[in-house]
């Protein structure tokens, strides 16, 4: 419910291993804005389901956030794309198939 109430989920974290909160927000149809750090580039599709800015560049973060509110359709489009991308990329069947492939290639 919380993710759905926002127009955009902003994560100003300067350290992120994967970005599960980014995926959770997108699954709810909320696009994300965050620093390009750690695993965040794998947790969203830049300029499609969310936006990445250089790590630690708070001015770029604020500038990008401001620009998003001038084009509300961009937020809606990104939110719709985010929901679909997460459903296609992170659903349990997809992850299970990937894990099976990884573990089947491990030398015994």
């Amino acid at each position: 419910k919380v993710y759905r109430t926002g127009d955009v989920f902003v994560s100003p974290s300067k350290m992120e291993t994967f970005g599960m909160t980014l995926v959770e927000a997108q699954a709810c149809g909320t696009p994300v804005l965050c620093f390009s750090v750690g695993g965040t580039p794998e947790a969203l599709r830049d300029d499609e389901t969310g936006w990445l800015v250089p790590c630690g560049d708070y001015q770029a973060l604020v500038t990008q956030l401001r620009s998003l509110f001038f084009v509300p359709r961009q937020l809606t489009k990104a939110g719709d794309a985010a929901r679909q991308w997460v459903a296609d990329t992170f659903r349990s069947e997809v992850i299970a198939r990937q894990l099976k492939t990884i573990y089947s290639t491990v030398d015994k």
Side-chain angles (χ1 to χ4, degrees), residues 16-34:
E16 194 68 60
T17 56
F18 172 66
M20 184 56 79
T21 57
L22 306 177
V23 173
E24 290 170 348
Q26 292 173 94
C28 295
T30 303
V32 298
L33 170 60
C34 62

Side-chain angles (χ1 to χ4, degrees), residues 47-58:
D47 289 327
E48 186 177 331
T49 69
W51 301 270
L52 295 167
V53 296
C55 185
D57 189 344
Y58 291 98

Side-chain angles (χ1 to χ4, degrees), residues 31 47-49 51 71-83:
D47 289 327
E48 186 177 331
T49 69
W51 301 270
V71 189
R73 285 175 292 174
Q74 185 178 11
L75 288 169
T76 301
K77 183 179 176 183
D80 292 343
R83 183 184 298 111

Side-chain angles (χ1 to χ4, degrees), residues 4-48:
R4 288 187 192 130
T5 62
D7 293 317
V8 62
F9 179 77
V10 179
S11 176
S13 177
K14 292 172 69 176
M15 185 181 87
E16 194 68 60
T17 56
F18 172 66
M20 184 56 79
T21 57
L22 306 177
V23 173
E24 290 170 348
Q26 292 173 94
C28 295
T30 303
V32 298
L33 170 60
C34 62
F35 290 135
S36 182
V37 61
T40 60
E42 286 80 36
L44 65 106
R45 298 186 90 168
D46 191 27
D47 289 327
E48 186 177 331

